[in-house]
Amino acid sequence: MIIEYQRHSPLHGVHVANGAEWAAHHGMTIPASFKTGRAADECLANVALADVSALPKLGVKGPGAVAWLTGQGVSVPDTVYACRPMDDGGTVIRVDTAECFLEDRLGNNAVDTISAALDSDQAGVYRVPRQDAGLLLCGPKAVDVLTQTCGLDFRRLGTRLVYTRVAVVSVALLMLPDNNAPSYRIWCQPSSAEYLWETLAEIANDIGGGTVGLDAVARLL
Amino acid sequence: MSDRLPEPYGLLIDRDRQVPFQFDGREYRGYDGDTLSTALWAEGVRVLGRSFKYHRPRGIFSLSDAGLVVETDEETNICGDRLRITAGLDARAANTRGGAANDRLAILDRFGAFTPVGFYYKAFHTPRFMFPFYERQLRNMAGLGAVNTNKPVRRTAKEYAHCDVLVIGAGPAGLAAATRAATLGARVILATDQPGAGGSLLYRYSADAAAAAHLSRLTEAVQVHDNLELRVGTIVAGHYADGWMALVDDERLTKTRAGAVIVATGDNGLPAVFRNNDLPGIMLGSAALSLIHLYGVKPCRTAVVLTNNADGYRTALDLHAAGVVVGAIVDPRADGETSAVSGKVESESISILRGKMVSEGLPASGKKGTVGVRLDSGGTLDCDGVIIEVGTAPADELIRQANGHMEYDDVLGRFVPGTLPDGVYAAGRVNGIFDLEKQIEDGVSAGTAAAVHVGISQQPFVPRPKRGTSSVAVSRCPVVAHPKGKNFVDFDEDVQVKDFVNAVQEGFDSAELMKRYTTVGMGPSQGRYSNFTALQILADARGETLAGKALTTARPFVSAVPLSHLAGRGFTARRLTPTHHRHIEAGAHIMFAGDWRRPEYYLRTGLERQECIYQEAANVRQGVGLIDLGTLGKLEINGADAAAFLERVYTGNFANLKIGRTRYGVICDESGVVIDDGVICRLAADRFYVSTTTSGSDTIYRTLQRWAIQWADLDVVLVNATGSYGAMNIAGPKSRDILKALTDVDLDPESFPYLAVREGHVAGVPARLSRVGFVGELGYEIHVPADGSLAVWDAVMEAGKDAEIRPFGVEAQRLLRLEKGHVIVSQDTDGLSNPFEAGIGWAVKFKKPFFIGKRSLQILKERPLTRTLVGFALAPDHSGTVPKECHLVIDGDAITGRVTSISWSPALRHVIGLAYVAPSQSEIGTTFSIRADRGQMISAIVVKTPFFDPDGERLK
Amino acid sequence: MKLLECPINGLRPLQEFTYGGELRPMPDPDACADDAWAEYVFNRAGEPGVRLEWWYHTASGTWFIAERDTGSDTIIRTCLYAELSEKEKKGS
């Protein structure tokens, strides 16, 4: 499924209100930076929240899903919630025994290629429409935003995907280890995205950080 | 600052930093590190507040007393003993008229004899019409501070924390336990309500060199461990299930999950009970010692020490060393203290009055201080302070909250922990261990046990030290009765000895009943200083001992917690559709639909709400409108047995649904009650796309998931696509023409008839189009990926510009569907409605082996209906009151039903509605009555539905 | 806040879960008497005891079974429905 339409982030309306400078990635206009608010460097030195919903996503579910993906050259992790980088870029996460979630790297088109190969008469293999809002929380104080909003023990968080609640919203959360300070990827239903974004941004702002555009966090994607 | 002691007294204050502040409108100065109470005491202020009920002057009593309450412009009910002064602090005593020193309500003290506990309930309930007046007056006079409702909103963050071991209390036992657990590798949080670590080591063992060595060793050890976090100024206010602990500091509530909890909270001094035992100047030994050592403040000039234990003698020596004249030690025990400390006291020429008891405090003018005490033997002693060391009670609230059992120990004459729950430990004085070395040993043992419990360590069990005898009061201090009373047991609530006597006489003679009758222990201190004495008085009155007696239930919180901390940052999720901001731009008035926000209607300048709705509806009937349906639940049901699955879930038939067709479906629960409805689209033999109601979007998916698990024989793959798709409905006679220009789907009615579904593109976005008839016009539901919704919405609105397309909201849709007589599940049905009475029995197909609720519906079908949903109309010329939803249908004396939907219809020009009525009233043409506002009876007539376009001509 | 062990997602605070009621196996709707059906549909056992209950981990969408002593509010074990014995599924 090659996307040929103008995609919008679920946070588009907030970004408009917050003075975004736009860039196009994967068919979506997304903030490259913000004209208002704290400077990106200052945010990154504390905590920065970015909208990375533009990254192409694909869900595949069904009794034949894992075998089909393997046939597409995707090396699917053996255990539920394990993550693995794909050979052609991007990440594959096994979200259930019979369901996988794929997300591409910025600028890469591996997931689009796999998506295009998934036609609808494939028995036992079904597309899961993945329209999640994708957030990235990084910086040394990123964990402080999470401890104010989520009951998980973040010092014990491994590198597997975790389904939990952040600010009462159901999310999937993944820690990206880093030598300096871990970053966190958060996926949620697009319908809850604006509320979650505003909540996390407010806390980040309170502790010296704020929202940043994609330019500031591109190295992590 | 007349009453300050020189250094090294005053561990917590910084004498280089003076802090100006105000209290009751007067200027004072203290030092950085002072609390409001200690700074005022140093300034010679003795009346710090007024008591709850009798407005008696109160000074420092325990120095950790929640009973002394002040307020500022922004905060109310602050504990003055704990409030650290800051420059510019402007505090007032709470619940006074004119300040603590000259409270005009002090008159209430004189009427004390007429206002025993329970008096208000007995006196002020008649005449009934006066009660609101009484209540207002009483609430103004009794109670705590006033709430300033104009105070600025301060968002307080709440935080989560995790540790293996939480140690509460940083005295000798707590420090030892925390450092031990940390040494063994556990993540430890050590919480103390004090400004620093050390606990009683800082003030109670001043003459003990070994104590000083322990203090420096243990506080250093706390610094060393990276895995040990010391949280000062932190009250552990509650214990909840599975080690969930509420940690409260000035800034926030920290919800802490602890693998094991060590309670090392020490103990609290007990008041001695004699007349006027609450006068300013009468205080606990721990408070006097804290004032001296921590704050460098003389508790008084001349003291009488009332004690029945060795601690009291040591306290007398400390007072003496600090320059307080100790007039005498009064010791009720006939033999007095027999340990070595007694000799030391005598060598300092302090007189010891053995076998005597203080029977009365002698008040200064206005009871604003103490001028002496009367002894039970008759004589008096001059003093401006009475230091009380007559025993302690364990600070066991958290142990009891954790369902730990406290049992009375005859040897120690106090309650000690008995059986504790797994992972909860007590150490030190709260555990009945008093000797300093043994307290430390006890802490090490508890720290080890906790680390083993959480699986960090395999250390062998370290034996707990044995409880010896108590250094604090084995023999009881007598409770002195006095004909004039004012011998207080609970200072928070002004509960006196006679109140307990009354309670027992009136039959409230168990601990829990007595607590409720007298309100003992219900004040801000939660009975820390009063519960034990109260139990003793009760036991005495019943001629019993405390053996086998239980303390009253302890509940969170241990002490006052600001409501703003509890509220924290509110997390109220809201859900938005992808086109939400377009609605705002179009002037939408937003309504709540569960977590969702939806446009109720779009405000047009100069028009009332109702008129906007009518215009939106009319625009759909006459032209074209667009409504956002993104909130509908959307499920994909895939798999070889998807059709079989739907057959079991919905009441209708779906196995025979052709590919490319849609069908209305109803879901019942097992009792046959309608719980949801929606449209089922068949996209392929093994792929269905299903919509649910907005409110059912999460619950129906959940329910279907559960059935799928139980029906393991079915090959079915469920996907919750609610948020992943945006949806909208373009409806109206002009809808086809507008859509035609935007889509690659053939919209010709021959190839895309009513109730068909097609996949294609709209404005370049992959889309599922279906022809539905909810609003009763030609229309297309357009379901597209969420990230394409905005593009599609904009494209449709742009393409429809010439046709004057307008968005319409939920209200217009409700009106349009009402004109068609379509029910809305949960508006026109309730928690008991079955499909037959709701008029959707046609959607129930019994010729299938099974569906949820089938058996119940089979039974119900055989029974006569008790009510029926009918369409009704008011007379076309009806004017005046129009009934509302939920107004009752009345037949004679009986309620036979209610209105579920009602509106004036712009298409029909009269009022129509749906209502439940008795089956006997359901024939077309029957007239029935609706009781509207103010009891007006409105006549309605049953009419056939659909009200509008009954043959569905407009849908074609 | 109580903790509950989801067989898939591990030990989590109770807020992350939705209670799904007691596991109550359905009698054969075609064979059982009206009374037995009414008992199944309308009556719930309120007395404390050990029960098999449905719980749902909301964020991941995981249904599972918890065996709980409702008297002491202690969780005895948790497992997926598929892991129950046939006897437990049938409630006998």
Side-chain angles (χ1 to χ4, degrees), chain A residues 35-80:
Chain A
K35 278 175 278 194
T36 57
R38 253 191 201 107
D41 284 348
E42 200 183 339
C43 292
L44 288 170
N46 290 304
V47 50
L49 176 68
D51 176 11
V52 299
S53 303
L55 301 178
K57 291 176 277 283
L58 172 67
V60 186
K61 186 175 184 177
V66 171
W68 182 84
L69 277 172
T70 309
Q72 297 296 312
V74 177
S75 165
V76 175
D78 296 329
T79 56
V80 172

Side-chain angles (χ1 to χ4, degrees), chain A residues 143-192:
Chain A
V143 72
D144 297 343
V145 175
L146 292 172
T147 56
Q148 286 192 29
T149 50
C150 175
L152 286 186
D153 186 353
F154 285 94
R155 279 188 289 185
R156 296 249 165 98
L157 202 64
T159 52
R160 285 166 177 268
L161 189 75
V162 185
Y163 282 102
T164 184
R165 297 194 341 154
V166 172
V168 308
V169 173
S170 287
V171 303
L173 189 144
L174 181 66
M175 184 182 75
L176 312 174
D178 190 286
N179 291 335
N180 303 317
S183 308
Y184 301 88
R185 286 298 315 277
I186 299 168
W187 293 272
C188 73
Q189 284 287 309
S191 52
S192 300

Side-chain angles (χ1 to χ4, degrees), chain A residues 7-210:
Chain A
R7 297 169 68 212
H8 288 96
S9 160
L11 295 163
H12 186 79
V14 199
H15 296 329
V16 170
N18 289 343
E21 303 266 20
W22 303 97
H25 292 281
H26 300 280
M28 182 181 282
T29 46
I30 197 102
S33 60
F34 287 101
K35 278 175 278 194
T36 57
R38 253 191 201 107
D41 284 348
E42 200 183 339
C43 292
L44 288 170
N46 290 304
V47 50
L49 176 68
D51 176 11
V52 299
S53 303
L55 301 178
K57 291 176 277 283
L58 172 67
V60 186
K61 186 175 184 177
V66 171
W68 182 84
L69 277 172
T70 309
Q72 297 296 312
V74 177
S75 165
V76 175
D78 296 329
T79 56
V80 172
Y81 299 151
C83 311
R84 190 174 283 174
M86 298 197 299
D87 291 343
D88 300 333
T91 308
V92 55
I93 307 175
R94 189 155 183 168
V95 291
D96 201 347
T97 44
E99 184 177 356
C100 291
F101 170 49
L102 285 67
E103 190 187 64
D104 220 331
R105 279 196 358 241
L106 195 61
N108 201 41
N109 60 6
V111 168
D112 283 345
T113 309
I114 297 166
S115 180
L118 177 59
D119 52 46
S120 53
D121 46 12
Q122 198 86 38
V125 185
Y126 303 98
R127 179 192 303 275
V128 179
R130 294 299 302 229
Q131 292 279 326
D132 317 51
L135 308 184
L136 174 73
L137 196 61
C138 63
K141 289 187 182 170
V143 72
D144 297 343
V145 175
L146 292 172
T147 56
Q148 286 192 29
T149 50
C150 175
L152 286 186
D153 186 353
F154 285 94
R155 279 188 289 185
R156 296 249 165 98
L157 202 64
T159 52
R160 285 166 177 268
L161 189 75
V162 185
Y163 282 102
T164 184
R165 297 194 341 154
V166 172
V168 308
V169 173
S170 287
V171 303
L173 189 144
L174 181 66
M175 184 182 75
L176 312 174
D178 190 286
N179 291 335
N180 303 317
S183 308
Y184 301 88
R185 286 298 315 277
I186 299 168
W187 293 272
C188 73
Q189 284 287 309
S191 52
S192 300
E194 187 170 312
Y195 158 76
L196 186 62
W197 172 270
E198 286 178 349
T199 305
L200 298 182
E202 183 183 296
I203 298 170
N205 201 50
D206 281 356
I207 59 176

Side-chain angles (χ1 to χ4, degrees), chain B residues 82-427:
Chain B
R82 292 183 194 279
L83 177 65
R84 197 173 151 160
I85 55 165
T86 47
L89 171 71
D90 183 2
R92 296 177 297 278
N95 189 32
T96 67
R97 302 260 171 91
N102 298 301
D103 180 11
R104 291 193 295 279
L105 289 174
I107 186 89
L108 289 171
D109 191 25
R110 305 237 189 110
F111 295 111
F114 306 108
T115 54
V117 160
F119 167 75
Y120 301 110
Y121 307 117
K122 292 170 185 167
F124 289 113
H125 65 286
T126 51
R128 233 174 116 182
F129 70 91
M130 283 294 282
F131 183 74
F133 170 76
Y134 292 143
E135 189 190 21
R136 231 177 4 258
Q137 295 303 315
L138 292 173
R139 283 198 193 285
N140 281 340
M141 284 190 278
L144 303 172
V147 176
N148 175 6
T149 51
N150 293 321
K151 82 174 222 179
V153 175
R154 190 168 65 114
R155 285 250 177 103
T156 320
K158 273 193 271 195
E159 209 165 68
Y160 293 91
H162 299 263
C163 62
D164 297 317
V165 180
L166 172 67
V167 183
I168 306 141
L175 284 168
T179 51
R180 173 66 174 176
T183 306
L184 294 175
R187 276 162 60 191
V188 179
I189 292 177
L190 172 58
T192 170
D193 58 355
Q194 296 300 308
S200 61
L201 283 170
L202 298 174
Y203 59 85
R204 209 171 253 291
Y205 301 92
S206 62
D208 188 341
H214 281 307
L215 177 63
S216 62
R217 178 179 64 81
L218 289 169
T219 45
E220 265 167 43
V222 167
Q223 306 290 329
V224 167
H225 292 287
D226 286 342
N227 52 337
L228 196 167
E229 183 191 350
L230 173 67
R231 293 201 176 202
V232 299
T234 301
I235 296 166
V236 179
H239 175 287
Y240 300 85
D242 290 337
W244 193 120
M245 311 293 293
L247 271 57
V248 177
D249 58 27
D250 284 348
E251 290 299 312
R252 67 186 52 159
L253 170 69
T254 305
K255 304 175 182 181
T256 305
R257 179 76 64 181
V261 176
I262 299 174
V263 181
T265 41
D267 51 11
N268 296 304
L270 296 170
V273 184
F274 52 83
R275 176 168 165 78
N276 288 334
N277 60 344
D278 64 332
L279 295 176
I282 301 179
M283 70 176 75
L284 294 175
S286 56
L289 293 175
S290 297
L291 274 177
I292 292 170
H293 293 288
L294 303 183
Y295 301 98
V297 178
K298 264 192 191 179
C300 55
R301 307 260 163 89
T302 306
V304 164
V305 177
L306 173 60
T307 184
N308 57 356
N309 58 56
D311 270 359
Y313 284 67
R314 281 190 284 269
T315 301
L317 288 171
D318 258 25
L319 289 164
H320 179 71
V324 175
V325 177
V326 179
I329 291 179
V330 177
D331 190 333
R333 295 173 296 180
D335 300 334
E337 180 64 26
T338 51
S339 67
V341 70
S342 177
K344 275 192 207 160
V345 168
E346 280 174 333
S347 69
E348 299 287 352
S349 313
I350 298 172
S351 68
I352 304 173
L353 305 176
R354 297 183 179 87
K356 300 219 180 338
M357 176 62 193
V358 171
S359 64
E360 186 176 354
L362 302 176
S365 154
K367 303 192 189 78
K368 293 177 187 176
T370 306
V371 295
V373 294
R374 190 185 309 281
L375 298 177
D376 55 354
S377 53
T380 61
L381 296 168
D382 289 345
C383 62
D384 65 339
V386 183
I387 309 303
I388 309 289
E389 288 273 17
V390 295
T392 64
D396 57 4
E397 296 93 337
L398 290 168
I399 294 174
R400 288 187 287 138
Q401 281 182 27
N403 285 329
H405 181 61
M406 296 296 290
E407 57 196 20
Y408 188 71
D409 182 320
D410 259 336
V411 179
L412 292 176
R414 66 199 269 126
F415 282 88
V416 294
T419 321
L420 296 184
D422 279 354
V424 177
Y425 306 88

Side-chain angles (χ1 to χ4, degrees), chain C residues 24-40:
Chain C
R24 304 170 64 253
M26 189 193 295
D28 181 345
D30 296 323
C32 75
D34 281 5
D35 284 356
W37 184 255
E39 163 73 20
Y40 165 69

